[in-house]
Amino acid sequence: MAVQPPAADRRIVIENVAIATVDAQDTEYARGHVVVLGNTIESVGDGPAPAWLDNVARRINGEGHLLTPGLVNTHHHFYQWITRGLAQDSILFDWLVALYPTWARIDEDLVHAATQGSAAALLKSGCTTASDHHYVFPRGGGDVLGASVAGVQELGLRFTALRGSMDRSKKDGGLPPDHAVEDTDEILAASESAVDKWHDASFGSMLQVAIAPCSPFSVSTELMRQSAELARRKGVRLHTHGSETAEEEEFCKQLFGMGPTDYFESTGWLGEDVWMAHCVHMNDSDIAKFAETGTGVAHCPSSNARLAAGIARVPDMLKAGVPVGLGVDGTASNESGELGTELRNALLINRLHGRPDALTVRQALRLGTMGGARVLGRQREIGSIEAGKLADLALWKVDGVLHSSIADPVAALVLGALPPLAALFVNGNAVVENGRLTTADEDRIALAAARAARDLAARG
């Protein structure tokens, strides 16, 4: 059952708290307040909250805490929660070949359990909005996308469900096994059906849908073109993997006679309604095309490192004006499943080229909040703490033993260990309190995920 919105006239007050708003001016308050009315932010400012407020259901003393916008995850594969720890020393193509046969045996029950494990990890690390790229639809597996939607709604995470697809198998020169792909016409019909059934474009929507063919090496050119046409006819966004590895770039040149970015351009896949995952191997021309068209990037630093894919040129992208957000990626290539830790990893990895100012702590926080909101097309609703925006808020405890000696609370969040999450609000609802989910039994989720992992492994 989906988590219900709060009463429209109910107020929550958080005060005496350090606030990083991540608004256009990067406004911060050393000791400020936020007032939540229903599911939106009513006010934010310095000092205590106004004394005249009525219908205050809860008043939180934020002494020793940092309040930030909820984090936004721009790329994930929830079903991979039950295939973690496998193919530990492989590059992307070898890793995919090793795991495709297992993934081709998933069903709706397994996906529900995996989704709840993935969503729980995100919520517990400060994430309030997530997109999930699901592209494996085994015949006889049931409604796997519906299982994912239901699993997320039960936990209260704001969600963009990406109806993924693969129609280029080994026999057509792709990587997936023949039994793991779908027919092109079936894909397009199912994608349109998913949009019609679930996509809610209204302000404050808890569920949206985007169309997301998997990758150039698993999808036909015809599917890429028709998916772009379908998405624009339906008014939804587009997502795929792009320029993830050197092997992918070589694959595109051999198959299409051009690199990934030029290929995407030729199929109608550059634009403000498009975002790509990874974008590790991009030259100056690629970055310029993304900037000119407003095409977004989901930066996945931990997964890129796990698969030895390389270091994305995030500082250069930001300088050029490319929209960039953070992504966990699937937990088969980022076993922690946490978005909060990606703030630190993004900063550290992007400094490895010897540029100490490649990313600052506040730029890293912006990537994980407003950057992600822009990539998902929701920057008017989420991503910053401003009056009128949705009440998606993360309250971090930064006065404990691991953080109390760091004077700058944003540095404590980004450079230190991930702080304890005192509270997480999604749509004005507290979905995490003192590091624990409030909407579901964590022990039940853990047991269900473990059973699902064993069940899937036994199907081999």
Side-chain angles (χ1 to χ4, degrees):
M1 181 177 178
V3 176
Q4 298 302 304
D9 62 349
R10 181 224 61 184
R11 283 189 171 92
I12 295 174
V13 175
I14 307 172
E15 54 191 348
N16 305 321
V17 66
I19 303 172
T21 68
V22 200
D23 63 10
Q25 294 75 40
D26 274 326
T27 305
E28 296 184 12
Y29 301 99
R31 195 176 183 87
H33 71 271
V34 166
V35 179
V36 173
L37 177 63
N39 71 337
T40 61
I41 298 167
E42 184 178 27
S43 65
V44 54
D46 201 12
W52 54 262
L53 295 172
D54 57 9
N55 293 326
V56 177
R58 184 176 180 187
R59 191 176 292 271
I60 298 173
N61 180 5
E63 185 83 34
H65 291 71
L66 170 67
L67 189 69
T68 70
L71 304 182
V72 179
N73 181 38
T74 60
H75 185 66
H76 211 305
H77 307 294
F78 284 177
Y79 73 91
Q80 292 181 12
W81 188 260
I82 55 175
T83 58
R84 295 190 294 167
L86 305 177
Q88 297 175 15
D89 305 308
S90 300
I91 61 171
L92 176 67
F93 278 20
D94 295 340
W95 176 85
L96 287 170
V97 170
L99 289 172
Y100 273 142
T102 299
W103 294 338
R105 298 192 295 269
I106 60 173
D107 61 28
E108 59 183 298
D109 292 333
L110 298 180
V111 168
H112 184 274
T115 292
Q116 294 218 313
S118 290
L122 289 171
L123 289 166
K124 286 166 64 68
S125 68
C127 176
T128 52
T129 297
S131 65
D132 176 48
H133 189 185
H134 190 96
Y135 53 85
V136 183
F137 293 86
R139 296 192 183 279
D143 185 6
V144 292
L145 191 61
S148 180
V149 169
V152 169
Q153 289 181 324
E154 291 161 13
L155 270 60
L157 180 66
R158 199 179 301 280
F159 190 40
T160 300
L162 310 183
R163 206 301 175 178
S165 54
M166 300 188 295
D167 71 342
R168 184 192 295 278
S169 66
K170 282 185 177 180
K171 66 179 175 59
D172 301 312
L175 282 184
D178 295 342
H179 64 278
V181 302
E182 301 174 273
D183 175 77
T184 305
D185 290 338
E186 290 177 349
I187 290 168
L188 293 167
S191 298
E192 184 164 10
S193 177
V195 173
D196 292 340
K197 183 175 183 179
W198 286 308
H199 183 66
D200 176 6
S202 66
F203 182 90
S205 168
M206 290 294 292
L207 177 60
Q208 296 192 346
V209 176
I211 295 175
C214 184
S215 64
F217 49 82
S218 60
V219 171
S220 69
T221 298
E222 186 60 27
L223 179 57
M224 291 293 287
R225 289 199 177 103
Q226 290 196 45
S227 292
E229 294 169 2
L230 173 61
R232 286 167 181 141
R233 176 166 58 83
K234 304 297 290 188
V236 298
R237 299 179 77 78
L238 287 160
H239 180 63
T240 191
H241 296 86
S243 302
E244 184 172 358
T245 67
E247 291 79 16
E248 178 192 330
E249 183 173 11
E250 185 60 30
F251 180 96
C252 287
K253 288 179 178 177
Q254 289 185 2
L255 197 63
F256 310 123
M258 63 188 86
T261 299
D262 291 338
Y263 174 67
F264 291 135
E265 184 178 40
S266 75
T267 55
W269 269 76
L270 295 182
E272 292 183 352
D273 56 350
V274 181
W275 83 102
M276 310 279 183
H278 303 291
C279 299
V280 174
H281 295 271
M282 294 180 68
N283 58 34
D284 290 347
S285 173
D286 298 331
I287 291 174
K289 286 183 178 180
F290 271 52
E292 289 164 6
T293 58
T295 304
V297 171
H299 176 44
C300 306
S302 295
S303 177
N304 294 343
R306 161 74 153 84
L307 296 175
I311 302 173
R313 296 173 58 189
V314 171
D316 296 332
M317 294 178 193
L318 295 176
K319 185 177 180 180
V322 176
V324 183
L326 291 182
V328 169
D329 203 4
T331 52
S333 64
N334 182 2
E335 277 77 358
S336 84
E338 296 182 326
L339 185 57
T341 51
E342 296 305 302
L343 301 175
R344 184 172 190 265
N345 291 346
L347 182 146
L348 296 180
I349 287 174
N350 280 283
R351 291 186 178 186
L352 286 175
H353 287 305
R355 296 165 60 181
D357 60 346
L359 279 182
T360 68
V361 295
R362 283 161 177 79
Q363 283 178 310
L365 178 59
R366 181 170 288 276
L367 286 179
T369 53
M370 199 60 191
R374 184 182 173 194
V375 164
L376 295 185
R378 305 200 67 173
Q379 63 270 33
R380 293 178 180 82
E381 303 171 86
I382 60 174
S384 61
I385 302 178
E386 299 180 77
K389 283 198 165 185
L390 298 170
D392 290 4
L393 303 166
L395 185 64
W396 309 93
K397 180 177 171 59
V398 291
D399 64 351
V401 65
L402 296 180
H403 304 90
S404 63
S405 59
I406 305 176
D408 178 354
V410 178
L413 170 63
V414 176
L415 293 178
L418 189 66
L421 189 60
L424 186 74
F425 296 89
V426 180
N427 209 42
N429 287 314
V431 295
V432 176
E433 296 270 12
N434 297 316
R436 299 283 296 183
L437 299 178
T438 66
T439 53
D441 183 338
E442 289 186 23
D443 294 334
R444 178 191 60 78
I445 291 173
L447 287 171
R451 282 196 300 267
R454 290 193 298 269
D455 183 3
L456 181 57
R459 295 182 184 188

